[in-house]
């Protein structure tokens, strides 16, 4: 097995992003608001636009995409100092092997390079595996909650914002959400 790499996708990589995104929607429909059927029908111009709205990361091994994540500005933050990781997904056979960790580390580096001081990661309050993963990566729980966009037995009905301070800022002050 070859080395795992994580790279930033460009607009010209829209087809590669589309392929892994559709694989994620097909394999884990409960994890996403969008459906495979909806996103399969999206035109090239929309996919290209998506590539420019947020940074899209793909983890690859042996020439195959094994994970994906996006990093953008935190939706509910009133300033630019908070990034948000979203749409994190790893192929089932690679879960628990460090792929998600590699994606989060690359997303954190990207956010830090963009001048962001924190990363927000929303996880289901009942999803012990996701909470443990985020905690292990250095994310800390906040008091911020919101209803789940897609309710599942594994995740529960509510999400918690977990925050990772970047750089030297290890204070407990978190971004406004």
């Amino acid at each position: 097995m070859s080395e795992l790499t994580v790279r930033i996708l460009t607009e010209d990589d829209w087809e590669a992003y589309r392929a892994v995104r559709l694989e994620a929607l097909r394999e884990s429909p409960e994890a996403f608001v969008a459906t495979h059927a909806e996103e399969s029908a999206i035109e090239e111009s929309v996919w290209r636009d998506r590539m420019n709205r947020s940074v899209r990361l793909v983890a690859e091994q042996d020439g195959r995409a094994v994970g994906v994540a996006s990093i953008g500005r935190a939706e509910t933050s009133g300033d630019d100092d908070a990034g948000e990781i979203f749409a994190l997904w790893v192929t089932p056979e690679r879960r628990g092997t460090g792929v998600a960790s590699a994606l989060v580390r690359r997303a954190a580096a990207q956010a830090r390079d963009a001048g962001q001081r924190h990363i927000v990661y929303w996880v289901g309050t009942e999803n012990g595996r996701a909470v443990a993963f985020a905690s292990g990566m250095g994310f800390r729980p906040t008091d911020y909650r919101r209803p789940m966009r897609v309710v599942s037995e594994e995740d529960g009905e509510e999400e918690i914002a977990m925050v990772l301070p970047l750089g030297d800022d290890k204070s407990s002050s978190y971004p406004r959400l």
Side-chain angles (χ1 to χ4, degrees):
M1 193 173 290
S2 67
E3 183 180 344
L4 177 72
T5 60
V6 177
R7 68 183 176 97
I8 295 173
L9 298 174
T10 68
E11 181 180 337
D12 290 336
D13 294 317
W14 73 271
E15 289 174 297
Y17 177 68
R18 179 184 187 271
V20 71
R21 171 77 175 167
L22 292 177
E23 182 182 351
L25 291 168
R26 185 174 22 259
E27 190 280 324
S28 300
E30 72 287 349
F32 300 96
V33 175
T35 68
H36 183 273
E38 292 166 344
E39 296 215 357
S40 292
I42 293 175
E43 298 178 7
E44 176 182 340
S45 62
V46 176
W47 286 104
R48 286 183 176 276
D49 181 56
R50 281 184 174 183
M51 302 304 290
N52 294 313
R53 285 196 319 244
S54 298
V55 175
R56 310 300 175 164
L57 304 171
V58 65
E60 297 170 313
Q61 194 164 40
D62 296 325
R64 180 173 175 262
V66 295
V68 67
S70 297
I71 181 87
R73 197 176 120 243
E75 283 183 21
T76 52
S77 176
D79 50 43
D80 290 331
D81 73 346
E84 183 173 339
I85 294 177
F86 58 97
L88 175 63
W89 176 82
V90 175
T91 60
E93 66 274 8
R94 299 294 291 137
R95 290 178 188 158
T97 66
V99 174
S101 297
L103 285 162
V104 170
R105 282 192 301 274
R106 182 62 189 263
Q110 184 67 29
R112 190 172 24 258
D113 291 348
Q116 294 169 331
R117 297 177 358 155
H118 301 86
I119 296 176
V120 178
Y121 181 44
W122 290 91
V123 298
T125 55
E126 302 298 318
N127 188 336
R129 185 175 179 176
V131 172
F133 166 74
S135 295
M137 293 296 301
F139 286 84
R140 297 295 169 249
T142 68
D143 293 334
Y144 297 105
R145 305 283 192 279
R146 69 182 182 191
M148 287 291 291
R149 294 181 200 177
V150 178
V151 177
S152 72
E153 194 172 298
E154 178 183 13
D155 291 324
E157 297 182 9
E158 192 175 61
E159 290 181 293
I160 181 174
M162 297 190 71
V163 176
L164 176 68
L166 301 174
D168 295 331
D169 181 13
K170 303 293 186 203
S171 71
S172 60
S173 64
Y174 296 124
R176 292 185 318 274
L177 299 178

